[in-house]
Amino acid sequence: MIKSKIAGIGRYLPKTIVTNDDLSKVMDTSDEWIRERTGIQERRHAIKHKETSTTMGTAAAKIAIERAGITAEDIDFIIFATLSPDYYFPGCGVLLQRELGITKTEIGALDIRNQCSGFIYGLSVADQFVKSGMYKNVLLVGAEMHSMGMDFSNKGRNVSVIFGDGAGAVVIQPTQEENKGVLNTKLHSDGTYAEKLAFISPGSHGGYHADKMGADTDFGFEKDKPFASIFGTQKMLDDDHFFPDMEGKFVFKLAVTKFPEVINEGLKDAELTTADIDMFIPHQANLRISQFVQKSMGLRDDQVYNNIMKYGNTTAASIPIAMCEAWEQGKIKDGDLVCLAAFGSGFTWGSALLRW
Ligand code: ACO
C-alpha cells in the first residue's frame, strides 16, 4: 500500500531577535506579563522590504529539497500555507515557484488559508495527492511574516507580543515501507466563531458581518466611491479594522478542548494510545495552551516539543519549524510515532499521526 512520508524538512528563521524588553520600549508591556501568560521570551522579525513570507518559505524549501535528495525541478506540486501573504493575490505558491526557479508549467501551486492549522490541512492534502499516485514530490511550506501586519501600539499589544516570523517546509514523497509515513490526518472546522480570532480587512465583506464583528455597523461605505472596495474605508482605518483581533480567553478555552479531542480521534483510528507517542508537536500557539494539553493527555516532558519561547507563535510555520528543530536535535528518530496537532482561527483544527 502506498503511503506518504516526509522525505526532507527545512526551516528558516530571520536573524533579528526581538526580546520582550525590546517590545516594552514601543508599548506598555513587560517581560513578566508576556512570559507569564504565553511563555514567550523572544521572537524573530524579518527584514522589512527585503524578506517576505515567500522568501522565507523559499529558504526553508531549499533545505527540505536538498535533504530529500532531489532538486527543485523534481517538485510536481506546491502547497503554501500562510495568513501573511506577500500579495492579496496571487498567492505565495506561484511566487515560491518563481523564487525556486521552477520554470516547468506541468506543476500545480495551491495556497492554503487555514491560519494556525494551515500546515496540518496542507499535509492532509499532500497525503491524499501522494497516496492516490497523482504526485511524487509535493513541497509543503508554512511561512509567516507577522511583523508587517501587527499593531505594535498599546491597542494591539494583546496580539502583537505573541506572534513572530519564520518558515518551515517539507517534501512529501510516496513510500511502501511498512513502518514509515503518514498514518492519518483529521480535520475539523466550525465557522460559528469566525470573528473571535480574525483579521477582517481588507476583504469583500463591505460590513456584511458587522453584527458578528461586535463592531459599529457603520463602516463608512459610500456607494460608487472607489475607496469603498475590498480595501475598506477611512472609517475602518480609523477604527483599527486593519489589524488582527483576538478574544484571547475564548480562544484559550476552545483550544484546550479541541487539541485533545482531535489527537485522541487520530490515535483511536490508528489503534494507538498516548503512551505510543514518541514526539508530540503542537502548533506553538501559547506555551500555556501546550502545557494544558500535555497535562490533560498525560504526556511526559520528553514526549512534547515546544520552542515558542524562542520564536513566538509563527502560525502556519510553527509546526514545521518545531518538527525540523526537534529532528535536527535528534529528538525524532526513524520509526518514531510523531503526533502533530493545531487549532486556530476559523475555527479550524486538526491532527496528523506519522511514523518518521
Ligand atoms: N502587556 C501588558 N498588558 C497587556 C498586554 C500586554 N502585551 N496585552 C493586554 N494587556 C492588558 C489588557 O489591556 C488588560 O488590562 P486591563 O485589565 O487593565 O483592561 C489585561 O492585560 C488583561 O487583558 P486580557 O486580554 O484579558 O489578557 P489575558 O489575561 O486574557 O491574556 C492572552 C491574553 C495571553 C492572549 C490570553 O488570553 C491567552 O493566553 N489566550 C489564548 C489564546 C492565544 O494564546 N492565542 C495565540 C494565538 S491564536 C492561536 O494560535 C490558536
Side-chain angles (χ1 to χ4, degrees):
M1 192 186 114
I2 296 177
K3 281 187 287 180
S4 74
K5 67 166 184 184
I6 293 178
I9 185 162
R11 67 192 172 102
Y12 174 82
L13 279 310
K15 304 279 169 288
T16 308
I17 296 172
V18 177
T19 64
N20 295 340
D21 286 336
D22 291 332
L23 290 179
S24 68
K25 289 176 192 141
V26 296
M27 63 176 83
D28 293 332
T29 192
S30 65
D31 180 51
E32 193 192 358
W33 195 97
I34 300 169
R35 266 187 212 234
E36 221 168 69
R37 286 167 181 80
T38 70
I40 299 166
Q41 298 166 20
E42 58 190 42
R43 74 285 295 138
R44 303 292 176 94
H45 281 182
I47 305 169
K48 290 181 181 52
H49 318 303
K50 286 205 170 146
E51 293 183 302
T52 69
S53 294
T54 299
T55 69
M56 290 188 281
T58 305
K62 282 182 178 169
I63 297 167
I65 289 168
E66 196 191 333
R67 285 175 173 168
I70 58 168
T71 69
E73 281 297 313
D74 298 316
I75 298 296
D76 44 21
F77 198 76
I78 292 167
I79 305 175
F80 201 119
T82 185
L83 66 73
S84 48
D86 297 23
Y87 297 145
Y88 189 81
F89 73 81
C92 290
V94 291
L95 302 181
L96 178 99
Q97 178 187 2
R98 186 171 67 188
E99 290 284 314
L100 285 174
I102 303 174
T103 50
K104 66 174 182 180
T105 55
E106 290 80 11
I107 80 167
L110 173 73
D111 289 89
I112 294 216
R113 298 193 52 190
N114 280 76
Q115 295 65 250
C116 305
S117 51
F119 185 81
I120 301 275
Y121 268 71
L123 184 60
S124 187
V125 171
D127 182 42
Q128 312 315 313
F129 275 145
V130 169
K131 277 196 302 206
S132 71
M134 190 160 170
Y135 295 117
K136 295 211 162 21
N137 286 299
V138 178
L139 174 62
L140 167 60
V141 175
E144 303 287 2
M145 184 156 176
H146 290 307
S147 60
M148 277 295 253
M150 296 279 158
D151 178 358
F152 288 99
S153 75
N154 279 353
K155 270 190 252 169
R157 66 183 176 168
N158 65 322
V159 175
S160 55
V161 299
I162 294 176
F163 295 91
D165 301 340
V170 292
V171 172
I172 318 274
Q173 290 178 346
T175 181
Q176 303 227 35
E177 289 169 82
E178 206 174 303
N179 205 25
K180 213 168 187 65
V182 175
L183 305 183
N184 65 44
T185 56
K186 303 290 172 192
L187 306 178
H188 292 276
S189 67
D190 179 359
T192 315
Y193 307 111
E195 290 78 13
K196 297 278 187 199
L197 175 51
F199 195 151
I200 61 167
S201 290
S204 61
H205 58 84
Y208 174 75
H209 306 288
D211 56 328
K212 314 246 180 8
M213 293 173 201
D216 179 352
T217 47
D218 176 12
F219 280 86
F221 282 97
E222 283 181 64
K223 199 167 173 287
D224 300 330
K225 283 273 168 67
F227 193 48
S229 68
I230 53 170
F231 303 106
T233 62
Q234 187 59 48
K235 186 167 190 313
M236 291 171 81
L237 266 176
D238 297 342
D239 291 352
D240 291 328
H241 285 292
F242 290 86
F243 289 115
D245 205 11
M246 173 175 72
E247 229 179 271
K249 288 190 175 73
F250 191 90
V251 174
F252 192 101
K253 279 185 204 149
L254 219 54
V256 296
T257 312
K258 296 303 176 191
F259 266 105
E261 263 178 33
V262 75
I263 296 163
N264 283 326
E265 184 187 351
L267 284 170
K268 192 171 171 216
D269 192 49
E271 297 179 352
L272 295 164
T273 70
T274 46
D276 297 309
I277 295 175
D278 294 298
M279 187 52 74
F280 168 49
I281 298 177
H283 156 55
Q284 304 291 296
N286 178 323
L287 191 60
R288 306 297 162 235
I289 293 178
S290 297
Q291 288 169 336
F292 200 102
V293 173
Q294 175 181 344
K295 201 168 168 210
S296 70
M297 302 217 45
L299 292 164
R300 300 181 310 271
D301 285 351
D302 64 292
Q303 286 177 292
V304 184
Y305 192 80
N306 285 304
N307 62 6
I308 190 170
M309 304 76 88
K310 294 189 291 180
Y311 305 133
N313 178 335
T314 56
T315 323
S318 90
I319 288 179
I321 291 172
M323 184 159 57
C324 185
E325 201 171 78
W327 173 75
E328 286 168 356
Q329 291 173 6
K331 291 181 176 164
I332 300 177
K333 296 173 287 303
D334 276 1
D336 277 357
L337 182 70
V338 178
C339 175
L340 314 175
F343 174 88
S345 163
F347 291 113
T348 62
W349 61 102
S351 67
L353 268 181
L354 52 108
R355 285 269 173 216
W356 195 260

